[in-house]
């Protein structure tokens, strides 16, 4: 992963939180703040904007938003299945043939519905809370980088969030460094 060229996911999510009124800035107003359990907003209340999420849902959302440090891409079946492996050897199988996906109990394998939009692979997913989520995978014009763009909505106002991750081709780094040495 090329951190210099990738977006900071926490900053993007904070920015989206600020645009939908969920963020607070400054000291503001005085008076007594009393939270109502489950409603948020105070020391005794639940979490603002997500009190009905389980710990498992929050963890899954963190996995969605936090990028992997490395990605291996393999074509399993021409134009029907693309397999990606992250730095922890978890497999994501992207199916573009419209098949019914299997529910997997194993967290190391995930099946995802996808389609081709020209030369871009686009997923059709849902966040743990059931909101729409899509990822777009696209090669750079010279084929040395893979761009992953994560698009989702968050908050009550469905504020759109777009996060871009850039992955350098492992062979490209070694090829470029060996060319400069010659």
């Amino acid at each position: 992963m090329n951190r210099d060229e990738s977006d900071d996911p926490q900053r993007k999510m904070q920015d989206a939180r600020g645009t939908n009124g969920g963020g607070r800035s400054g000291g503001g107003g005085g008076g007594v703040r009393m939270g109502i359990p489950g409603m948020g907003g105070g020391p005794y209340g639940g979490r603002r904007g997500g009190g009905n999420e389980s710990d498992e849902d929050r963890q899954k959302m963190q996995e969605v938003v936090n990028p992997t440090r490395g990605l291996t891409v393999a074509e399993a079946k021409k134009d029907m299945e693309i397999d990606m492996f992250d730095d922890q050897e978890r497999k994501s199988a992207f199916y573009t043939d419209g098949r019914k996906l299997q529910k997997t109990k194993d967290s190391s394998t995930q099946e995802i519905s996808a389609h081709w939009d020209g030369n871009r692979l686009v997923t059709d997913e849902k966040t743990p809370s059931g909101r729409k989520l899509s990822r777009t995978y696209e090669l750079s014009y010279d084929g040395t980088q893979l761009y992953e763009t994560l698009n989702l909505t968050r908050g009550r106002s469905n504020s759109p969030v777009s996060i871009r991750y850039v992955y350098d081709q492992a062979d490209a780094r070694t090829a470029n460094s060996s060319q400069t040495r010659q």
Side-chain angles (χ1 to χ4, degrees):
M1 178 176 187
N2 185 326
R3 293 211 181 269
D4 292 334
E5 292 186 36
S6 297
D7 290 338
D8 177 354
Q10 276 70 30
R11 179 170 289 174
K12 287 284 202 165
M13 295 299 276
Q14 285 173 347
D15 290 349
R17 222 175 279 127
T19 60
N20 70 12
R24 293 193 187 272
S25 60
V32 177
R33 281 186 49 190
M34 187 172 85
I36 300 170
M39 297 301 289
Y44 308 107
R47 290 172 199 85
R48 276 187 294 154
N52 60 354
E53 282 184 294
S54 70
D55 288 338
E56 183 181 347
D57 286 347
R58 279 189 291 283
Q59 181 181 352
K60 285 180 183 176
M61 192 61 190
Q62 284 301 312
E63 289 174 9
V64 167
V65 176
N66 290 324
T68 181
R69 291 178 309 207
L71 202 57
T72 302
V73 181
E75 185 175 56
K77 294 180 184 166
K78 182 118 176 89
D79 293 332
M80 290 174 35
E81 180 182 347
I82 306 296
D83 293 340
M84 290 189 195
F85 299 88
D86 68 12
D87 56 348
Q88 297 178 7
E89 294 301 315
R90 291 179 296 205
K91 175 184 174 183
S92 295
F94 299 93
Y95 293 104
T96 61
D97 59 357
R99 74 178 66 185
K100 184 167 172 60
L101 303 179
Q102 302 296 316
K103 291 275 185 185
T104 56
K105 293 180 179 142
D106 181 11
S107 64
S108 66
T109 302
Q110 181 180 20
E111 293 185 355
I112 300 169
S113 177
H115 64 274
W116 289 104
D117 181 11
N119 62 347
R120 298 180 302 168
L121 181 66
V122 181
T123 69
D124 304 309
E125 304 174 66
K126 290 194 185 281
T127 66
S129 62
R131 295 178 185 269
K132 186 177 178 190
L133 161 75
S134 72
R135 299 176 199 253
T136 302
Y137 296 94
E138 180 176 18
L139 282 175
S140 63
Y141 71 95
D142 61 359
T144 61
Q145 290 182 318
L146 176 69
Y147 305 129
E148 176 186 7
T149 305
L150 176 67
N151 292 299
L152 61 119
T153 58
R154 70 174 328 285
R156 290 185 189 141
S157 63
N158 288 325
S159 300
V161 180
S162 180
I163 305 170
R164 183 176 176 176
Y165 304 118
V166 179
Y167 294 94
D168 292 330
Q169 183 181 7
D171 296 339
R173 274 194 219 152
T174 56
N176 288 339
S177 62
S178 67
Q179 286 175 357
T180 57
R181 282 187 239 144
Q182 293 177 349

